[in-house]
Amino acid sequence: MARQGVGRLSHSVCLVLTCLSLALHLILALFCLSVLQTSCVIPPPSSCSSSLSFPGTVPHGKQGRSHSLSSQSSSHKLPVSRMNGDFTKMAAHIDHNVEASFNIVNEKEKDKNQWISSRSKLEALFSHPLYNLPRKHLLEDDWLLKLKPKNKGGDSEEEDEEEDSDKSSEDSESADTHPAWLRYHLGISRWELYDRNDPSVAEVTQQMATQRILSAVQKSGGTQLKLIMSFPNYGQALLKPMRQERDAETDFNLFYFSDFERHNAEIAAFHLDRVLGFCRIPPVVGRLINITREIRAITTDHKLSRTFFTSPVGNLCFHGQCEYYCSTENPVCGRPQVLEVSLASMLPDLSLAPRRSWRSPWRRSYSRTKLAPWEKNPDYCDTVKQTPPYNQGTRLVDLIDMVILDFLMSNMDRHHYETFEKFGNDTFLLHLDNGRAFGRHSVDEPSILVPLRQCCRIRRSTLMRLRLLSLPGFRLSDVMRESLSQDPLESVAPLLSVQHLSVLDRRLKTILKAVHTCLEHHDDVIHDDLQGYDVNLYRH
């Protein structure tokens, strides 16, 4: 009996020890699992922003805007979900010149998570081969301006030879000492107004936005008020004031020639022209100015100074003198003295670089009752193609480039265009005076695209860029939003409303559809300006 009792007791003890051991193992397993889960928690998004900030895009020390990668989301941050892989290793591949980060987007239509990089779409666009085509070799006569060589003493041939051999090095050294305005003007060539990578263009833009204004006088001519502002180092800019709210659409009861010009349209046109790869609009920037200190107190224009007055609510206003919209009924007013303006860099003086004004073949009648010839004759382009300068060279496809720009921003006011006289007919067109663009976003104006539909001609490089901008990774509205974020006025309010940005994608589809229709019915549609290049390198 005693042996049986001892056996039962030892058996019970073994069972208890076994249960305790299992319980301890279970507790240990739960503890380890909790530790592993805690170590796999992703850092909060505040430590790795999902947006980009770009060097040089934060004007006057203010924080720039960031933009979501998703075109359908109004949020500037991406949702965070589970992440696979080592975040630190992934972050090591980020370009050190750009603050970038990676987050995870949980797409509803997919069962798995995927990485989405917050790389700049604008940066990716300008890195594409289509925006880095080999430049044409420029001869001495292909530059608009050139500096006169310095006169040095010495008559010997050896000194002359030494001077010639050192000329290139001296020019490169002296170029850095010239004012940015002069370097920008010296960079104008037969084929483009400026090189997108030219640092002097960014310097000119920055100086217009920040430098002290020395004088302000009214520009003669024109239907609306414009001022010429002078800066240190002989720089000058054309000022257009804010006349209406940015999101105000043009009244549908007004004719195309009856609307106010928009300061933000001038700024947006410069950025759109640059995004399209044209580089034919002088640099434009927005600025907040004090009407008292930066116009009234420094102007020497007595006709302008006599038009200042204080409105019933205490705002300082003026109206200047011009053909239309310069009266006390249509004044320019500050809030109470601060005014939003656009500043467009002036081209070289006409005495140095004369320009020729050309009447557009598709000019509107500017009449409330009459139609222009191109509106009545569907074969109008056949006549244009036989008329100089459109019967040879690139003038016709140059004009089609301008038509595409105007249709995208709904500019119906293109009655003339200009070229530099020095280059004759073999040069680019200047895309000047875009203040009546971006007036309506709810409707498109198909008549602007008539030259493309009638002529069915387009550059290959232009077409390939348009197709590139229609892709999600380079969406036109996204790169325009990003480009406009670099302007100082973007910190006040978006330069273009969401509606004006989204309509760019819709109008781009209309252009591509028109080209597709031309290709179906005509053979000689594409002007191959990429001949000699490997086109496959530029496909997307």
Side-chain angles (χ1 to χ4, degrees):
M1 294 293 291
R3 290 181 178 179
Q4 292 179 353
V6 172
R8 290 176 180 175
L9 180 61
S10 62
H11 183 65
S12 299
V13 171
C14 289
L15 289 175
V16 172
L17 292 174
T18 302
C19 291
L20 288 173
S21 177
L22 291 173
L24 289 173
H25 280 82
L26 181 60
I27 292 172
L28 182 61
L30 291 173
F31 176 77
C32 292
L33 182 60
S34 65
V35 171
L36 290 173
Q37 289 178 343
T38 303
S39 64
C40 292
V41 173
I42 302 174
S46 60
S47 63
C48 286
S49 172
S50 62
S51 60
L52 282 170
S53 62
F54 302 95
T57 63
V58 186
H60 311 298
K62 297 182 180 180
Q63 183 178 359
R65 291 177 180 263
S66 60
H67 300 283
S68 170
L69 286 174
S70 173
S71 61
Q72 298 177 351
S73 173
S74 61
S75 173
H76 293 297
K77 292 185 178 181
L78 299 176
V80 178
S81 61
R82 293 183 62 187
M83 176 169 58
N84 296 323
D86 187 349
F87 183 86
T88 305
K89 293 181 179 179
M90 293 296 296
H93 295 287
I94 301 175
D95 186 353
H96 296 292
N97 294 325
V98 181
E99 295 180 13
S101 60
F102 289 89
N103 279 329
I104 303 303
V105 175
N106 184 15
E107 298 181 2
K108 295 181 180 179
E109 68 273 13
K110 294 183 180 181
D111 296 331
K112 63 179 180 179
N113 297 327
Q114 71 178 48
W115 282 96
I116 291 187
S117 168
S118 59
R119 183 191 179 192
S120 160
K121 286 187 178 181
L122 185 65
E123 181 187 80
L125 180 74
F126 287 153
S127 298
H128 194 278
L130 279 171
Y131 287 81
N132 294 276
L133 295 170
R135 301 187 68 189
K136 294 183 178 180
H137 177 67
L138 297 176
L139 302 176
E140 185 177 358
D141 289 338
D142 291 332
W143 297 102
L144 181 64
L145 302 174
K146 58 182 178 180
L147 293 174
K148 292 183 178 179
K150 294 181 180 180
N151 293 324
K152 294 184 178 181
D155 300 328
S156 66
E157 295 182 0
E158 291 184 3
E159 291 180 354
D160 291 341
E161 291 177 0
E162 288 182 9
E163 182 176 346
D164 292 338
S165 64
D166 295 338
K167 185 177 185 301
S168 59
S169 60
E170 290 178 0
D171 288 345
S172 61
E173 291 177 2
S174 61
D176 295 334
T177 63
H178 295 320
W181 304 84
L182 178 57
R183 283 187 276 118
Y184 155 55
H185 288 165
L186 290 173
I188 300 175
S189 71
R190 179 184 296 273
W191 310 115
E192 60 186 359
L193 185 60
Y194 62 89
D195 180 2
R196 180 171 46 81
N197 298 315
D198 184 0
S200 64
V201 175
E203 290 181 44
V204 167
T205 305
Q206 191 268 344
Q207 290 179 10
M208 288 192 295
T210 60
Q211 277 193 340
R212 181 170 61 95
I213 299 174
L214 301 180
S215 70
V217 295
Q218 187 170 342
K219 183 180 185 298
S220 60
T223 60
Q224 301 193 31
L225 176 67
K226 294 181 282 289
L227 303 179
I228 297 178
M229 317 299 282
S230 297
F231 298 88
N233 294 328
Y234 308 101
Q236 287 188 323
L238 183 68
L239 179 150
K240 290 190 178 182
M242 180 177 183
R243 302 296 297 262
Q244 53 190 329
E245 298 298 326
R246 301 180 191 180
D247 56 352
E249 273 203 284
T250 300
D251 191 335
F252 286 92
N253 292 313
L254 292 179
F255 286 92
Y256 51 86
F257 48 83
S258 303
D259 193 18
F260 282 124
E261 292 188 338
R262 292 171 170 79
H263 72 300
N264 60 314
E266 292 286 356
I267 302 170
F270 163 66
H271 286 265
L272 180 59
D273 179 82
R274 183 169 170 264
V275 163
L276 293 174
F278 295 153
C279 298
R280 299 166 196 167
I281 294 180
V284 185
V285 69
R287 176 167 174 166
L288 290 174
I289 66 169
N290 184 289
I291 297 178
T292 299
R293 293 198 311 266
E294 297 177 298
I295 298 181
R296 188 175 190 177
I298 62 176
T299 184
T300 57
D301 190 331
H302 299 295
K303 292 182 179 179
L304 175 64
S305 61
R306 287 197 295 264
T307 66
F308 286 88
F309 66 94
T310 302
S311 72
V313 295
N315 293 331
L316 183 59
C317 305
F318 65 100
H319 55 75
Q321 295 183 1
C322 59
E323 294 182 18
Y324 305 100
Y325 311 117
C326 286
S327 65
T328 53
E329 290 78 19
N330 297 290
V332 174
C333 295
R335 296 180 180 177
Q337 298 187 30
V338 176
L339 177 67
E340 282 189 27
V341 301
S342 67
L343 293 168
S345 56
M346 298 288 286
L347 294 171
D349 190 84
L350 292 175
S351 61
L352 299 175
R355 301 193 300 271
R356 178 174 177 179
S357 179
W358 301 79
R359 182 188 177 105
S360 172
W362 282 269
R363 182 185 185 273
R364 298 178 185 276
S365 64
Y366 287 83
S367 168
R368 295 177 175 86
T369 57
K370 296 180 180 179
L371 294 178
W374 58 268
E375 294 177 286
K376 297 180 290 185
N377 180 11
D379 298 324
Y380 177 77
C381 187
D382 293 340
T383 303
V384 175
K385 288 180 178 179
Q386 299 173 7
T387 306
Y390 306 98
N391 61 342
Q392 59 183 353
T394 62
R395 179 59 62 89
L396 182 59
V397 289
D398 287 332
L399 189 138
I400 296 299
D401 283 346
M402 187 169 61
V403 166
I404 290 171
L405 173 71
D406 285 338
F407 179 74
L408 286 171
M409 58 186 185
S410 192
N411 180 21
M412 301 174 65
D413 194 33
R414 189 73 68 187
H415 44 83
H416 287 78
Y417 62 86
E418 294 185 13
T419 60
F420 289 109
E421 281 189 3
K422 176 180 179 179
F423 302 134
N425 296 334
D426 192 17
T427 186
F428 65 94
L429 313 185
L430 290 163
H431 300 166
L432 305 177
D433 197 6
N434 304 286
R436 285 203 171 108
F438 295 104
R440 292 175 183 154
H441 55 71
S442 55
V443 295
D444 301 337
E445 181 50 57
S447 64
I448 301 176
L449 213 55
V450 165
L452 173 61
R453 292 196 170 105
Q454 287 184 348
C455 298
C456 279
R457 289 285 285 170
I458 189 172
R459 271 190 174 91
R460 182 182 295 278
S461 60
T462 299
L463 178 59
M464 294 183 74
R465 288 191 184 111
L466 294 177
R467 287 173 174 171
L468 181 68
L469 291 166
S470 68
L471 300 178
F474 303 94
R475 186 177 287 112
L476 178 56
S477 59
D478 290 342
V479 294
M480 268 296 290
R481 182 187 295 110
E482 187 179 334
S483 185
L484 289 171
S485 70
Q486 302 173 13
D487 190 89
L489 287 185
E490 185 77 5
S491 62
V492 179
L495 283 163
L496 288 182
S497 65
V498 174
Q499 294 87 345
H500 274 301
L501 286 170
S502 61
V503 80
L504 291 173
D505 300 323
R506 183 181 75 212
R507 291 169 181 165
L508 177 56
K509 291 180 181 178
T510 303
I511 295 172
L512 292 175
K513 185 177 179 180
V515 175
H516 180 72
T517 302
C518 285
L519 290 171
E520 287 182 334
H521 296 89
H522 301 275
D523 295 328
D524 190 22
V525 175
I526 306 298
H527 172 77
D528 194 2
D529 60 328
L530 297 181
Q531 191 173 9
Y533 302 133
D534 185 358
V535 180
N536 293 321
L537 295 176
Y538 307 111
R539 297 191 184 278
H540 25 273

